[in-house]
Amino acid sequence: MELEERVAALERRLAALENAAGSTAGSAAGSTGRAADSAADTAAAERPAPEVTDSPLWALESLKAQLAADPGDRGEDGAVVFTGTVRLPTEERYEWQLGAFTGQLFEEDWADAAESFASLGHPVRLRLLREILGGRRTAAELAELEETGTTGQIYHHLRQLTGAGWLRTVGRGRYEVPGARVVPLLVVLTAARP
């Protein structure tokens, strides 16, 4: 089974687990967009979903059970999955998940992620992202904030974030965080907490 098929199968299994627990989370808006072929869909549908427990590590236990149930050369070293369901102050809702096998992550060139991480490495940029998620969408609205700098500096930061994919322009002078980046942004922020 190809990596993309296995990741898609893991995503479906996690969504099924969350749905069984009464959650509406899954791979909806912002999902990876990867779809497995019908054989992989059938194989995943025939496997029973892991039981949800009261354990605080239920997602980890489920991932481990899925890897054990479907051993393969790519999953033997493990996998990483992150997911979330988010309702922003603007009432927009995002549900998203992504997974990768550990072996694949160690094979990739991590330097490819440097620009994305670097664009988040400035306090004003992080503030701009938070404000945009909160509903301020234009450079003029962002310029009204204290301690964000001049209009030129704000545009510089917005260009950096747009170039790294954390923002996109919608309409004239309006910015938004793409749906597929909302949960990953919050995951990065969560991981950076002490």
Side-chain angles (χ1 to χ4, degrees), residues 12 25 28 37 41 56 71 112 119 122-123 136 172 187:
R12 284 192 304 279
D37 62 17
D41 289 337
D112 293 342
S119 68
H122 194 286
R136 295 178 193 261
R172 294 186 59 144
V187 167

Side-chain angles (χ1 to χ4, degrees), residues 77-137:
D77 294 328
V80 176
V81 174
F82 59 95
T83 185
T85 179
V86 177
R87 183 174 54 99
L88 297 177
T90 59
E91 299 299 318
E92 294 167 288
R93 186 166 203 87
Y94 297 95
E95 296 175 331
W96 199 87
Q97 69 183 27
L98 179 66
F101 292 110
T102 310
Q104 175 195 13
L105 293 172
F106 281 109
E107 291 171 5
E108 293 176 356
D109 184 1
W110 290 5
D112 293 342
E115 181 183 349
S116 185
F117 284 129
S119 68
L120 297 176
H122 194 286
V124 171
R125 291 185 198 136
L126 292 173
R127 170 102 187 267
L128 294 174
L129 285 167
R130 187 183 70 197
E131 295 295 336
I132 290 169
L133 285 173
R136 295 178 193 261
R137 302 295 170 115

Side-chain angles (χ1 to χ4, degrees), residues 2-173:
E2 293 293 319
L3 175 63
E4 289 181 0
E5 293 170 345
R6 292 176 56 88
V7 171
L10 281 172
E11 290 173 346
R12 284 192 304 279
R13 292 177 196 148
L14 184 57
L17 177 63
E18 290 172 336
N19 287 335
S23 172
T24 60
S27 55
S31 70
T32 62
R34 298 176 183 150
D37 62 17
S38 59
D41 289 337
T42 303
E46 291 172 357
R47 262 190 225 109
E51 185 176 324
V52 177
T53 68
D54 291 332
S55 169
L57 299 176
W58 64 268
L60 175 61
E61 291 166 4
S62 173
L63 175 62
K64 288 166 50 176
Q66 293 298 330
L67 290 171
D70 188 14
D73 59 338
R74 297 299 240 150
E76 66 186 23
D77 294 328
V80 176
V81 174
F82 59 95
T83 185
T85 179
V86 177
R87 183 174 54 99
L88 297 177
T90 59
E91 299 299 318
E92 294 167 288
R93 186 166 203 87
Y94 297 95
E95 296 175 331
W96 199 87
Q97 69 183 27
L98 179 66
F101 292 110
T102 310
Q104 175 195 13
L105 293 172
F106 281 109
E107 291 171 5
E108 293 176 356
D109 184 1
W110 290 5
D112 293 342
E115 181 183 349
S116 185
F117 284 129
S119 68
L120 297 176
H122 194 286
V124 171
R125 291 185 198 136
L126 292 173
R127 170 102 187 267
L128 294 174
L129 285 167
R130 187 183 70 197
E131 295 295 336
I132 290 169
L133 285 173
R136 295 178 193 261
R137 302 295 170 115
T138 66
E141 291 172 323
L142 296 168
E144 294 172 358
L145 300 170
E146 291 185 26
E147 300 179 14
T148 56
T150 66
T151 303
Q153 291 169 325
I154 290 172
Y155 275 112
H156 168 76
H157 292 307
L158 292 171
R159 277 192 303 277
Q160 293 289 110
L161 292 167
T162 302
W166 293 108
L167 285 179
R168 70 176 170 206
T169 56
V170 289
R172 294 186 59 144

